[in-house]
Amino acid sequence: MSTIAFIGLGNMGGPMAANLVKAGHRVIGTDLAPAAVERHVAAGGVAGASIAAAVAEGDVVVTMLPSGREVKALYGGPQGIIASAKAGALLIDSSTIDVDSARAVASDAAARGLSMIDAPVSGGVGGATAGTLTFMCGGDDAAFARAKPYLEAMGKTIVHAGGPGNGQAAKICNNMILGITMIATSEAFVLAEKLGLDAQKLFDIASKSSGQSWSLTTYCPVPGPVPTSPANRGYQAGFTAAMMLKDLKLAQDAARSAGAVTPLGAEATALYGLYAAQGEAGTDFSGIVNFLRGK
């Protein structure tokens, strides 16, 4: 078993680190929130004295951070992860960040002779807790092969998307699809209500025909048809509107950088921006159905 430094023990990182502990690894965790570190220790982990100290011990370093700014700040500099990591360490960044930042950090790691992959996740807090996350990985073949056993302790589906940054590219493309289809699904249910069509009837038809999507059959935005969806618990967040807006903005940044045309992605970004600005940033992203109802 390995010693793993885990940086970022929040809603996603905490359960992920706990699953690495369950797999038998020694996991040294750090976080800005003392309560998060306390939960990590209660789950069998070890509290790191500092990021640099934790990283210096790690055979593997896993990070789950809020944005590209934090990733670049923590990986770079004389006290950063790249400088503090021991020779031969494997670096895994599971943050969701912009493609350009992911590639820049990977290049800096390679210059020091360190293996690195970007491995953003899909599956939300429930998937992190259950160990059923999907990992979208960018990096060379050797780094991916080294990382896969650790990712399998935290997830169910592990996909190598290509070279550095391609994990981030896959994540933002996937979540752009998700954001667009959730709005489309919500619009359909709002229209059905106005037309006097029962939500369950629409679900029964669309879920077995050409309107089928994950947003409909797994995460239905109205109460009833899918008992496990957030719609049945007051839109308590599994994946917040703020997180969806962040990913849609990253997709738009990437589209501008690559010269891609994404009009529906742009419209979805604008709508989630309006929804979040109404005080719903912490609500589940499927709650946008209420915004479309005019509530």
Side-chain angles (χ1 to χ4, degrees):
M1 294 294 104
S2 302
T3 294
I4 300 172
F6 202 111
I7 317 302
L9 300 169
N11 290 337
M12 292 293 292
M16 291 166 65
N19 282 324
L20 289 169
V21 171
K22 289 176 185 176
H25 299 292
R26 177 172 179 261
V27 183
I28 308 171
T30 68
D31 194 280
L32 291 175
V37 178
E38 290 172 6
R39 287 192 294 269
H40 176 65
V41 172
V46 178
S50 67
I51 291 175
V55 169
E57 288 193 62
D59 305 305
V60 180
V61 179
V62 182
T63 50
M64 177 59 90
L65 303 168
S67 72
R69 180 178 63 185
E70 285 85 1
V71 170
K72 288 192 290 185
L74 287 182
Y75 274 86
Q79 300 298 316
I81 291 170
I82 291 172
S84 301
K86 64 184 182 181
L90 170 66
L91 311 180
I92 301 173
D93 180 37
S94 285
S95 317
T96 296
I97 66 172
D98 61 286
V99 175
D100 290 341
S101 291
R103 289 175 175 163
V105 172
S107 178
D108 290 343
R112 193 176 166 243
L114 299 172
S115 294
M116 182 171 188
I117 65 166
D118 50 286
V121 304
S122 178
V125 175
T129 302
T132 58
L133 293 170
T134 293
F135 285 90
M136 295 151 271
C137 306
D140 63 38
D141 291 344
F144 174 72
R146 285 184 64 191
K148 192 174 181 182
Y150 302 104
L151 302 181
E152 287 175 337
M154 300 181 284
K156 184 177 180 181
T157 303
I158 320 297
V159 180
H160 189 197
N166 276 24
Q168 300 295 348
K171 172 67 182 287
I172 61 174
C173 289
N174 178 77
N175 278 19
M176 185 172 71
I177 294 171
L178 176 59
I180 292 168
T181 57
M182 182 55 74
I183 291 172
T185 303
S186 296
E187 287 184 351
F189 277 102
V190 171
L191 177 59
E193 291 170 8
K194 298 291 187 182
L195 296 175
L197 174 61
D198 179 73
Q200 185 65 55
K201 296 298 184 185
L202 174 58
F203 178 86
D204 292 344
I205 293 165
S207 64
K208 297 296 190 294
S209 58
S210 55
Q212 192 276 332
S213 71
W214 187 92
S215 294
L216 175 68
T217 57
T218 300
Y219 222 78
C220 186
V222 298
V226 179
T228 55
S229 77
N232 294 289
R233 55 177 190 269
Y235 300 97
Q236 180 182 342
F239 187 70
T240 66
M243 293 170 71
M244 174 54 75
L245 180 59
K246 171 196 168 184
D247 289 357
L248 288 168
K249 286 180 175 179
L250 287 173
Q252 288 304 291
D253 290 344
R256 284 188 288 271
S257 179
V261 179
T262 56
L264 291 180
E267 185 64 21
T269 306
L271 288 171
Y272 271 103
L274 291 170
Y275 177 54
Q278 291 190 341
E280 301 294 347
T283 303
D284 192 82
F285 80 104
S286 61
I288 199 166
V289 67
N290 290 323
F291 173 78
L292 296 171
R293 288 188 179 114
K295 295 183 180 179

